[in-house]
């Protein structure tokens, strides 16, 4: 006779599905839209090692991409230059997630990655510039690190930009200058992931 209630054990140790916290289509000057979404992993001991995803609209699908999420992590995903019908909200379609059980105490602490000093500048050409400082305050150096910046105005997403930082050393502070080809409204909040 087993003293373990397997149904109860499996129910308490199963993976919870990933959550789509927010999704938006941001029109660009080229007549297309940039799609941005925030995914959240609600699991405490399970990492989503591989998350296949596509943005879907009535006009088609974006190219398949993959992401990963550590336990309790919220991550920004984006698709650039996508076609969307006017006033249509894109959807995120997630494929089969590859899960791996992890011990949260062995995960690297990445709390020291930050962005600060956001300064938006409107250009006479109608574009918008952004100057920002990114800081690697972790004990780790990174060979390549993708960084997604999301600009918000009055609670809605008005711009998304992605840049890849190369050879970002531990303790290094780096200045970045980015340009949106369209004019952004007054930005009240910027998220960096």
């Amino acid at each position: 006779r087993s003293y373990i209630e397997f149904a109860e054990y499996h129910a308490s140790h199963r993976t919870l599905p990933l959550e789509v916290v927010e999704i938006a289509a941001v029109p660009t000057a080229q007549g297309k839209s940039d799609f941005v979404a925030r995914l959240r992993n609600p699991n405490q001991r399970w990492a989503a090692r591989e998350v296949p995803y596509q943005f879907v609209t009535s006009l088609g699908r974006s190219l398949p991409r993959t992401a990963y999420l550590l336990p309790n992590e919220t991550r920004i995903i984006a698709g650039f230059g996508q076609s969307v019908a006017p006033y249509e909200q894109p959807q995120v379609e997630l494929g089969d997630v590859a899960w791996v059980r992890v011990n949260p105490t062995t995960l690297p602490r990445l709390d020291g990655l930050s962005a600060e000093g956001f300064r938006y500048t409107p250009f006479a050409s109608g574009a918008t510039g952004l100057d920002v400082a990114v800081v690697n305050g972790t004990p780790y150096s990174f060979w390549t690190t993708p960084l997604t910046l999301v600009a918000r105005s009055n609670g809605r997403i008005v711009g998304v930009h992605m840049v890849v930082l190369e050879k970002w050393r531990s303790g290094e502070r780096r200045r970045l200058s980015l340009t949106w080809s369209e004019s952004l409204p007054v930005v009240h909040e910027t998220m960096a992931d």
Side-chain angles (χ1 to χ4, degrees):
R1 171 172 163 80
S2 172
Y3 292 98
I4 299 172
E5 297 289 338
F6 284 103
E8 185 179 313
Y9 176 83
H10 288 299
S12 65
H13 289 81
R14 69 179 171 84
T15 58
L16 299 172
L18 297 176
E19 302 168 357
V20 178
V21 178
E22 180 180 28
I23 186 167
V26 181
T28 64
Q30 292 83 18
K32 302 267 187 178
S33 289
D34 294 337
F35 298 159
V36 61
R38 290 191 319 145
L39 299 180
R40 186 173 100 70
N41 180 0
N43 297 288
Q44 301 218 10
R45 295 191 173 269
W46 291 94
R49 186 189 61 182
E50 189 172 307
V51 182
Y53 69 90
Q54 284 183 299
F55 289 97
V56 180
T57 68
S58 62
L59 299 179
R61 299 172 165 273
S62 66
L63 293 174
R65 305 275 314 251
T66 59
Y68 67 91
L69 283 96
L70 296 174
N72 292 321
E73 181 182 30
T74 300
R75 178 172 294 278
I76 297 170
I77 59 172
F80 298 94
Q82 305 294 315
S83 297
V84 64
Y87 307 107
E88 181 181 12
Q89 180 74 2
Q91 300 299 313
V92 176
E93 190 175 277
L94 302 177
D96 290 331
V97 177
W99 295 99
V100 62
R101 189 170 169 88
V102 296
N103 180 348
T105 62
T106 62
L107 293 174
R109 303 280 307 183
L110 301 178
D111 298 340
L113 297 176
S114 63
E116 56 191 35
F118 300 100
R119 193 176 86 232
Y120 289 88
T121 307
F123 297 137
S125 64
T128 303
L130 168 63
D131 293 314
V132 61
V134 292
V135 180
N136 180 359
T138 71
Y140 311 102
S141 294
F142 300 100
W143 189 253
T144 59
T145 306
L147 178 68
T148 305
L149 297 160
V150 176
R152 302 176 75 90
S153 178
N154 295 324
R156 69 181 182 88
I157 297 173
V158 294
V160 59
H161 208 303
M162 184 179 207
V163 64
V164 176
L165 303 172
E166 296 182 352
K167 300 178 185 172
W168 197 17
R169 295 184 311 276
S170 174
E172 181 181 0
R173 177 186 174 93
R174 195 178 288 187
R175 300 279 316 157
L176 299 177
S177 292
L178 309 172
T179 303
W180 273 273
S181 57
E182 57 273 350
S183 176
L184 297 182
V186 175
V187 175
H188 297 103
E189 177 189 2
T190 306
M191 298 183 314
D193 179 35

